Amino acid sequence: MKPRSTRNSLLILGCLVLVLTAIWVVRNDKPELQPDFDTANCWTGAGVNQIPVDEQGLQIRYGRNLIENTAYYLGPRGTVAKISNGMNCQNCHLEAGTKPWGNNYGAVASTYPKFRERSGTIETIEKRVNDCLERSLNGKPLENNSREMQAIVAYIRWLGEGIPKGTKPKGSGIMQLPFLPRAADPGKGKVVYTTQCEKCHGRNGEGQANADAKGYTYPPLWGNNSYNNGAGLYRISRFAGYVKNNMPNPVNYHTPQLTDAEAWDVAAFVNSQPRPSKDLGKDWPDISKKPFDHPFGPYTDGKDELQHKYGPWK
C-alpha cells in the first residue's frame, strides 16, 4: 500500500492534468479571431469570372474590358475612337474598379443619379463616366447611347448589385486621411517620389508604356499625357488617400508603406508639376461649396489658392 503522501501527490497531479486538458480544449474550440482590418470589413468588387455567361454578361464583360484597356479602344491609336490620352480607366480605378480604397466603383450604382456641387446639377452615371474621360483621361466624351458607354454603365451597375440604394459601403472610393498640422510640402514630396515612385512612373513623371504602346502599365503622373487640372486626383487630399493605400504597387490598405505625411507630401509634389489644363469656368457655380483643397479661386473664406491647395486646413 502506497503512503498517504504519495497518494495525495498523484491525486493532485491527476487533477492538474484534467484542468490543463480542459483549458486546452476550451481554447482550441474557439473560432480563430480575425483582425479588425480583415478584407471582409471592406467592399471588394466581383471578379471577371463572376460575370454571368449570357447576353447581358457579354455587355458587362465588354464594359470591364473598356475599363482595363481604355487606350486600346479609345486612346490616341484607339480601335473604336481616338478621344483620350492613352491612359486606361484602370490606371486610376484599380483592378477594374474593384479594389478596396482603390478609387473603386463600390458606391456608384447605389448613389447615382445624384446632385453634385461641382456641376450644380443632378448627374447620371453616364455624366460621371464622361467626367473621367474629359478630366482624368484629358479627352472627349462618349455619346450616352453608344455601345461603349452602355457597356461601361452595365459593368458599373453589375458591380453595385446588392448594395442598398443611397448607401456607401466601407472601402468604396478613396480614404480621407487626417489633416497634417502643417502645409503639405512639395520639396519633401520630391524625396518620397524619387525613392518610392520614380522606378515605375519615371524621373519626369512620364510613366511606362505597355508592350504595344497603346496604353500604360504605369501611367504618367504629369506632363502632356497625364490627367488635367480638372481631375479628381488633382485635389491633393484625393491623391494622398489614393497613394497611402495603394502605392507603391501592389500595396493595399492592410500593409501601407507610406506614412500619412509622406502621402500628403508626395501628392503636393506630383500636383505641383505641369499638366494639361481644362476650362473650369462652369465648375462650382456655388463657390461656397468648393472643397477645402480645390486649388482655384474665388473663395468665400478669404484664404488664397496656395493655402487651399497645400494647407494647412482645419
Side-chain angles (χ1 to χ4, degrees):
M1 188 173 181
K2 295 180 180 179
R4 179 175 296 180
S5 59
T6 303
R7 293 199 306 273
N8 289 343
S9 297
L10 290 173
L11 181 61
I12 292 171
L13 180 61
C15 290
L16 181 61
V17 170
L18 288 173
V19 169
L20 291 174
T21 301
I23 291 173
W24 184 89
V25 169
V26 170
R27 284 182 175 175
N28 286 275
D29 191 48
K30 290 182 178 180
E32 185 176 320
L33 296 178
Q34 297 296 318
D36 290 339
F37 53 79
D38 188 80
T39 304
N41 290 336
C42 282
W43 180 88
T44 302
V48 64
N49 292 332
Q50 295 171 270
I51 297 175
V53 184
D54 55 20
E55 187 173 346
Q56 182 188 20
L58 289 175
Q59 184 185 43
I60 293 168
R61 197 175 298 272
Y62 183 45
R64 180 181 173 113
N65 204 7
L66 284 159
I67 298 300
E68 293 178 315
N69 303 291
T70 319
Y72 175 82
Y73 297 101
L74 304 174
R77 298 165 60 194
T79 58
V80 173
K82 298 172 176 59
I83 61 172
S84 65
N85 62 3
M87 290 172 62
N88 298 320
C89 296
Q90 182 171 252
N91 291 142
C92 296
H93 302 281
L94 297 175
E95 297 176 12
T98 67
K99 185 180 180 183
W101 298 123
N103 201 15
N104 60 55
Y105 301 134
V108 178
S110 64
T111 58
Y112 280 80
K114 72 176 182 181
F115 181 83
R116 297 189 74 214
E117 299 287 358
R118 186 168 71 181
S119 65
T121 64
I122 294 176
E123 296 187 7
T124 61
I125 296 178
E126 289 85 350
K127 173 66 167 69
R128 191 68 186 87
V129 170
N130 275 333
D131 267 356
C132 284
L133 281 167
E134 294 181 79
R135 296 167 185 264
S136 298
L137 272 63
N138 193 40
K140 299 176 182 178
L142 286 167
E143 294 291 336
N144 284 358
N145 61 356
S146 67
R147 178 184 176 223
E148 286 64 41
M149 176 62 83
Q150 292 303 302
I152 291 171
V153 171
Y155 172 65
I156 290 173
R157 284 180 172 154
W158 175 75
L159 282 180
E161 286 180 357
I163 299 173
K165 198 67 178 173
T167 66
K168 296 178 67 174
K170 180 181 177 183
S172 60
I174 297 174
M175 182 184 291
Q176 174 63 59
L177 299 185
F179 291 159
L180 297 179
R182 58 168 174 82
D185 188 333
K188 292 180 178 179
K190 183 176 182 179
V191 176
V192 178
Y193 183 85
T194 300
T195 58
Q196 299 287 348
C197 315
E198 183 178 299
K199 62 184 177 182
C200 293
H201 295 283
R203 178 174 296 180
N204 299 308
E206 69 274 17
Q208 290 186 33
N210 58 21
D212 63 7
K214 289 186 177 180
Y216 289 94
T217 303
Y218 301 104
L221 297 183
W222 64 85
N224 292 335
N225 297 322
S226 188
Y227 57 89
N228 65 42
N229 63 355
L233 288 180
Y234 191 63
R235 289 174 50 204
I236 72 169
S237 67
R238 303 292 79 203
F239 196 104
Y242 181 77
V243 299
K244 169 71 177 183
N245 290 300
N246 299 290
M247 298 295 153
N249 192 53
V251 159
N252 59 42
Y253 76 104
H254 294 292
T255 56
Q257 291 188 21
L258 301 181
T259 66
D260 286 0
E262 287 172 331
W264 281 108
D265 289 337
V266 77
F269 169 70
V270 169
N271 282 336
S272 67
Q273 304 306 306
R275 65 186 60 257
S277 297
K278 176 178 170 56
D279 180 5
L280 306 179
K282 295 182 179 180
D283 285 5
W284 310 105
D286 181 351
I287 63 173
S288 69
K289 302 299 184 183
K290 288 182 178 180
F292 62 90
D293 59 344
H294 181 69
F296 303 110
Y299 308 105
T300 59
D301 59 8
K303 295 181 174 58
D304 61 19
E305 290 184 345
L306 194 65
Q307 184 168 354
H308 273 277
K309 184 169 183 175
Y310 298 116
W313 308 283
K314 294 183 180 180

